[in-house]
Amino acid sequence: MPKIKLSEKIKRPPKFLTIEPYLREQDHPIPSHPDARDPRIVPLVILDYGSTLARIRQMRFVGRYLVESVRDMANGAKSIRSNPYSGQMMIDNGTLEELEEYARSLGIADIGYTKVNPRYIFNGFKILYTNAMIFTIEMDKEKIKGAPNMASFIEIFRTYQRVGEIVNQVTDFLRERGYNAHAGPAIGGDVNYIPVAIDSGLGVAGKNGLLIRKNNGPRIRLAAVYTDIENLPFSQENPHGWIREYCEDCNICIEKCPAGAIYSDPIILKDGGLVYIDHAKCADPFSNDNGCTLCIKYCPFSYGDYGKLKAKFQNYH
């Protein structure tokens, strides 16, 4: 009898980690599109396809970050009860600048703004507002250079936890000033952050399926804050489209992947989204004692000068 795959059976986190128990009469959450994709809960994928013993051994190094990430998810969901509903839906430049300075003081690298396409909300999930602030946090360059090792593995989970904590702090900042907000954590979010970040102009998806950003390539983690502020500086263009063409010539992430988990040509889903990674194959090296992260480590954008890479690419094209 074939083993039941937990990641196929369980598509949602426990209800207390979602906004549903905390919705009030004045809340009107936005559901996913009928063609939206199903989410995958990464820890369950690892249990299905990776080494359970290795994961147990790793808990002494990253367990606290996972526990804190779950705590931040719960706090973010429950805190929607603190939305002031003051009717304030416009933000002045001074307050927006103050918010951005505050976020950067907490460790945020970049901020993008966009409206969330309901196709990017995972099937069966909801968010309170479609106006989104997308935040990136940088993974330490030297630690990722050493991958695969425990320092790089810890850095992955540290940044997951930290950016999830930061978006809760940003929602508190907004609520104290009369604005409504809903924190979207890095782990267990309701939305596929990669296409949303692309729409915000922050970067594009590389062949490794990760967002590639100007200043730090794929060495980032993403989280979001959803709000009903109507006059955010939404992105009108994405200047990083050439990166995708660069990836077509590069392919180093495909060559370096120890599991052959990266597709040469992505699979197109019914929602128009793209799948770049065979998650079952990816889970195997990632579940090793020291993790993997090689597709980030070897990406030229992780360490290379963006301007020089672009100039070199354009000279050959």
Side-chain angles (χ1 to χ4, degrees):
M1 180 181 240
K3 178 185 175 183
I4 296 175
K5 296 290 190 291
L6 293 175
S7 59
E8 298 297 329
K9 186 175 181 180
I10 302 173
K11 295 294 188 181
R12 307 202 62 181
K15 200 167 184 179
F16 75 92
L17 296 178
T18 74
I19 63 173
E20 290 184 17
Y22 310 110
L23 292 171
R24 294 178 289 176
E25 188 175 330
Q26 60 265 52
D27 292 318
H28 302 286
I30 294 87
S32 58
H33 188 276
D35 291 334
R37 71 175 68 182
D38 289 333
R40 281 196 176 90
I41 301 176
V42 173
L44 296 183
V45 174
I46 299 300
L47 289 175
D48 285 339
Y49 299 100
S51 167
T52 303
L53 285 177
R55 187 61 70 227
I56 292 171
R57 289 192 292 265
Q58 291 161 352
M59 285 304 101
R60 63 191 173 117
F61 298 104
V62 302
R64 74 180 182 91
Y65 293 124
L66 286 172
V67 169
E68 290 171 6
S69 293
V70 172
R71 178 205 64 196
D72 293 332
M73 283 179 64
N75 289 343
K78 187 176 182 179
S79 72
I80 66 168
R81 289 278 181 98
S82 299
N83 279 334
Y85 281 98
S86 64
Q88 192 162 317
M89 300 170 69
M90 304 294 284
I91 191 166
D92 61 272
N93 290 336
T95 302
L96 186 63
E97 288 175 7
E98 186 183 357
L99 180 147
E100 292 182 345
E101 289 175 7
Y102 175 63
R104 290 193 171 93
S105 75
L106 296 173
I108 290 301
D110 291 294
I111 306 169
Y113 302 91
T114 190
K115 288 183 174 290
V116 177
N117 184 332
R119 289 179 180 273
Y120 303 149
I121 304 172
F122 288 123
N123 184 30
F125 285 67
K126 298 175 182 178
I127 58 176
L128 273 188
Y129 313 105
T130 56
N131 300 335
M133 305 173 178
I134 306 298
F135 298 89
T136 76
I137 190 171
E138 181 180 7
M139 291 185 279
D140 183 83
K141 183 185 296 186
E142 296 305 316
K143 289 178 181 176
I144 298 302
K145 271 186 179 179
N149 61 18
M150 187 50 64
S152 63
F153 188 75
I154 292 171
E155 181 66 3
I156 290 169
F157 288 92
R158 182 195 71 82
T159 48
Y160 266 134
Q161 185 277 323
R162 181 60 184 143
V163 73
E165 183 179 29
I166 289 171
V167 291
N168 278 332
Q169 292 172 298
V170 170
T171 57
D172 289 341
F173 176 98
L174 288 168
R175 289 169 183 148
E176 288 168 4
R177 288 154 181 79
Y179 300 103
N180 299 322
H182 165 201
I187 294 180
D190 306 306
V191 169
N192 183 355
Y193 291 137
I194 302 294
V196 177
I198 293 170
D199 286 351
S200 77
L202 283 177
V204 298
K207 278 202 170 180
N208 54 13
L210 301 172
L211 186 78
I212 295 181
R213 177 71 186 125
K214 178 178 180 179
N215 296 323
N216 25 48
R219 286 188 299 104
I220 55 173
R221 291 297 173 207
L222 297 164
V225 170
Y226 313 109
T227 178
D228 57 358
I229 298 172
E230 295 178 347
N231 66 325
L232 294 174
F234 299 119
S235 174
Q236 302 300 315
E237 60 179 351
N238 189 323
H240 308 294
W242 70 274
I243 294 176
R244 186 61 199 174
E245 299 175 56
Y246 183 103
C247 288
E248 292 299 326
D249 294 339
C250 177
N251 293 309
I252 193 169
C253 59
I254 295 176
E255 295 169 13
K256 296 295 184 179
C257 178
I262 303 174
Y263 300 124
S264 296
D265 297 304
I267 296 172
I268 303 175
L269 300 180
K270 63 181 180 180
D271 67 351
L274 302 176
V275 176
Y276 299 86
I277 304 291
D278 183 321
H279 67 278
K281 290 181 179 179
C282 179
D284 187 43
F286 188 75
S287 70
N288 290 335
D289 282 336
N290 291 324
C292 184
T293 319
L294 295 182
C295 62
I296 298 177
K297 172 180 177 176
Y298 287 108
C299 178
F301 291 93
S302 283
Y303 316 105
D305 182 281
Y306 179 92
K308 290 180 179 178
L309 288 170
K310 184 175 183 180
K312 183 178 180 180
F313 172 79
Q314 292 176 334
N315 285 338
Y316 282 101
H317 292 77

